[in-house]
Amino acid sequence: MGSRSTDSFYSILAVDTNSSAEEIRSAYKKQALKWHPDKWSADPCLSEQAKLRFQQIQHAYEVLSNETKRAVYDAGIYESSEDTDAFCDFLDEIVSLMDNVRAESNEEDEAEELRAMFVKMVKEDWFSIDKFEFPLKENIVNKR
């Protein structure tokens, strides 16, 4: 599911996979200043390369600075699309619900059980349409 370009978002920002949010922010600022297209405008060839690199830097930071998107990326299932944004919103909602369950019940076991169930769903790729079976049109027509 998760296809990565030849450069990982971590290598684009020149940070380690275990870098903190502050380290990622600092690396982003450094790389953004280095590759800003305005800095390279004197040479059209380099300007275009800088523009592309700057876009990569922005995208890498967008993903790595968002805790949920970063977790999805680290799991290897990140795709650059609106579907991923919706999935990350879904994950945020699930985490919020789990936190509410934990706060209401004060029982770690229930939240951990929910968390384990969700991890199992993701690992088994329950979100793939390939595994969903649609009823055949003939079966629907014959039942009428």
Side-chain angles (χ1 to χ4, degrees):
M1 188 176 188
S3 62
R4 294 188 186 182
S5 63
T6 54
D7 288 338
S8 77
F9 291 156
Y10 293 103
S11 65
I12 289 170
L13 294 180
V15 294
D16 293 327
T17 56
N18 59 353
S19 296
S20 69
E22 182 58 40
E23 291 169 324
I24 289 171
R25 185 174 25 264
S26 176
Y28 165 73
K29 289 178 183 179
K30 182 179 177 181
Q31 293 295 323
L33 286 172
K34 178 180 178 180
W35 288 101
H36 196 281
D38 291 346
K39 187 175 180 179
W40 299 88
S41 61
D43 186 341
C45 182
L46 290 177
S47 178
E48 189 60 31
Q49 181 183 358
K51 180 181 175 184
L52 293 173
R53 186 67 177 174
F54 187 72
Q55 289 171 343
Q56 288 178 323
I57 292 164
Q58 287 181 309
H59 189 221
Y61 181 69
E62 175 191 337
V63 172
L64 297 182
S65 65
N66 179 301
E67 190 176 318
T68 305
K69 287 182 181 180
R70 183 177 180 181
V72 170
Y73 178 79
D74 289 344
I77 57 174
Y78 179 83
E79 293 285 338
S80 181
S81 70
E82 288 181 20
D83 290 342
T84 301
D85 290 340
F87 181 68
C88 288
D89 291 343
F90 170 75
L91 287 178
D92 285 338
E93 186 64 27
I94 291 292
V95 169
S96 173
L97 289 171
M98 290 187 326
D99 287 342
N100 289 342
V101 166
R102 182 180 297 142
E104 290 173 8
S105 69
N106 273 341
E107 291 193 28
E108 292 288 321
D109 292 340
E110 291 177 18
E112 286 306 314
E113 185 178 330
L114 232 122
R115 210 176 289 250
M117 203 169 24
F118 182 73
V119 167
K120 181 181 177 190
M121 284 176 20
V122 171
K123 286 184 178 178
E124 290 180 2
D125 198 19
W126 284 12
F127 302 105
S128 172
I129 195 152
D130 297 337
K131 293 185 178 186
F132 186 80
E133 295 181 19
F134 292 97
L136 295 175
K137 186 177 180 182
E138 297 83 34
N139 292 344
I140 294 171
V141 172
N142 291 336
K143 289 183 179 182
R144 290 185 179 165

